[in-house]
Amino acid sequence: MKLMLRHDFAVVLLDVLMPGMDGFETATHIKRLDQTRDVPIIFLTGTEPGAGSAFRGYAVGAVDYLTKPFDPWVLRSKVTVFMELFRKTSVLREQAALLAQLVRDHEALAGFARRLGSVESRLAGLSEVEGEDEGLREAIKDLADRVGAMHAAFEAVSSVRGRE
């Protein structure tokens, strides 16, 4: 149980008969915790199948219940399936996190593009103002040209990024 709180498990193989806490109690504790609730449990046991143990195993959250003697190839196949599901789930979680980050980045970039467009519009409006200060007009025009170049570069980078 302590290891399950520190590490991720793909599947748990559990015997019904164990010293101290039996397998059903252990499974109940595993399924009770948010951190371990989704870990599949396969019971492996030598108890009589007709004693209601299988029903109890499924009732506490087991995905399978195998009685001895069991075919080791069947067990290996079942464990392999759960390990593959675990790997795929991990990949999906990573992809979901990356997608969420991309969405946040896109929203931030879109906000930056709007602000940059607003600055460009204001500078265009200022450069149209007729005044006697030629130096100020030249500075505004130079700034407008630089912001326009930044905006064009930003749009080019955004379009390339959108195609990836």
Side-chain angles (χ1 to χ4, degrees), residues 113-136:
R114 283 191 300 274
R115 289 190 305 272
L116 197 54
S118 175
V119 168
E120 191 175 24
S121 297
R122 285 184 175 174
L123 287 172
L126 284 174
S127 65
E128 294 172 3
V129 173
E130 304 241 350
E132 295 183 18
D133 191 346
E134 185 66 31
L136 181 59

Side-chain angles (χ1 to χ4, degrees), residues 25-133:
E25 291 175 271
T26 304
T28 301
H29 287 296
I30 290 170
K31 294 299 182 178
R32 199 176 283 157
L33 299 172
D34 289 339
Q35 188 175 343
T36 57
R37 130 177 335 149
D38 295 327
V39 177
I41 298 171
I42 298 175
F43 276 109
L44 300 173
T45 187
T47 62
E48 291 296 320
S53 296
F55 175 77
R56 190 170 173 204
Y58 289 117
V60 296
V63 296
D64 210 345
Y65 190 96
L66 302 175
T67 57
K68 294 177 186 173
F70 56 85
D71 184 342
W73 290 102
V74 170
L75 178 60
R76 185 174 291 126
S77 177
K78 290 175 186 274
V79 169
T80 300
V81 166
F82 286 114
M83 289 175 61
E84 188 61 28
L85 284 172
F86 179 80
R87 282 188 210 102
K88 288 180 180 181
T89 301
S90 295
V91 168
L92 282 174
R93 281 189 188 123
E94 289 173 16
Q95 289 175 343
L98 285 172
L99 182 60
Q101 184 61 47
L102 284 173
V103 167
R104 285 190 299 272
D105 290 350
H106 178 72
E107 289 171 354
L109 291 174
F112 181 73
R114 283 191 300 274
R115 289 190 305 272
L116 197 54
S118 175
V119 168
E120 191 175 24
S121 297
R122 285 184 175 174
L123 287 172
L126 284 174
S127 65
E128 294 172 3
V129 173
E130 304 241 350
E132 295 183 18
D133 191 346

